[in-house]
Amino acid sequence: MIRKIIQINQEKCNGCGACIDACHEGAIGMVNGKAKLLRDDYCDGLGDCLPACPTNAITFTEREALPYDEEAVIKSKNKFNKKGEELPCGCPGTMSKSLRRQTIREEENNSTDTSSKLSQWPVQIKLVPVNAPYFNGCNLMISADCAAYSYGNFHNRFMKNKITLIGCPKLDNIDYTEKLAAIIKNNDIKSVTV
């Protein structure tokens, strides 16, 4: 059937995930760091996601699409979360969360702390929500993802007591300027280390 449905301009999408949070039906998900309409039949065509997009990457179009299936949407919500709450991005692995770590000491040298200093998830700039609760009052560290492999004491020297965001300035096909600016502008960030 021909009906009104959203379309997402992949060139304009900055991967912030705001549209995913705004889509109550779960029609939108993250694919390769970009928002994508995953299910035509989950899109009700009302456009709650449009005003949530900071880059105006989402518009309406009229095209051949499956009819909206409210029953399937309800079943899907119940299937993925027993509380009836919508999972962000449709993937539990991308859900924002704070991590608590225990210190692990090497057997050979009890004074060497080898525990991870990562305090939140996700860490990839393209996956992290702009308004994640762990940003409030944090010290933010932004790094190339290869830096942790290049510097042996990266966790203790740079990540300790910081919220860590990583990306690859060479290989990621996205400019993170707008997203990082939104994170800094919309949250109470104490300091930024790059």
Side-chain angles (χ1 to χ4, degrees), residues 102-107 109-117 153 155-156:
Q102 293 180 344
T103 300
I104 301 168
R105 304 217 182 260
E106 290 182 355
E107 291 179 22
N109 182 353
N110 287 343
S111 65
T112 304
D113 179 2
T114 60
S115 63
S116 171
K117 302 302 178 203
N153 198 20
H155 279 250
N156 285 316

Side-chain angles (χ1 to χ4, degrees), residues 14 54 130-131 176-187:
N14 69 0
V130 171
N131 293 316
Y176 292 121
T177 308
E178 288 182 29
K179 186 165 189 181
L180 291 172
I183 289 170
I184 293 167
K185 180 182 176 186
N186 296 326
N187 297 283

Side-chain angles (χ1 to χ4, degrees), residues 113 115-118 141-162 164-166 193-194:
D113 179 2
S115 63
S116 171
K117 302 302 178 203
L118 184 63
M141 198 269 300
I142 304 167
S143 173
D145 51 7
C146 57
Y149 294 98
S150 303
Y151 189 86
N153 198 20
F154 188 79
H155 279 250
N156 285 316
R157 177 84 188 274
F158 299 108
M159 290 176 57
K160 188 175 183 179
N161 300 319
K162 292 183 176 81
T164 302
L165 297 181
I166 63 168
T193 303
V194 179

Side-chain angles (χ1 to χ4, degrees), residues 95-136:
M95 188 171 19
S96 295
K97 59 189 100 173
S98 295
L99 306 174
R100 294 182 187 204
R101 304 246 182 219
Q102 293 180 344
T103 300
I104 301 168
R105 304 217 182 260
E106 290 182 355
E107 291 179 22
E108 296 174 9
N109 182 353
N110 287 343
S111 65
T112 304
D113 179 2
T114 60
S115 63
S116 171
K117 302 302 178 203
L118 184 63
S119 61
Q120 96 288 345
W121 191 261
V123 296
Q124 291 178 314
I125 299 169
K126 63 184 169 187
L127 296 179
V128 71
V130 171
N131 293 316
Y134 45 74
F135 285 132
N136 288 320

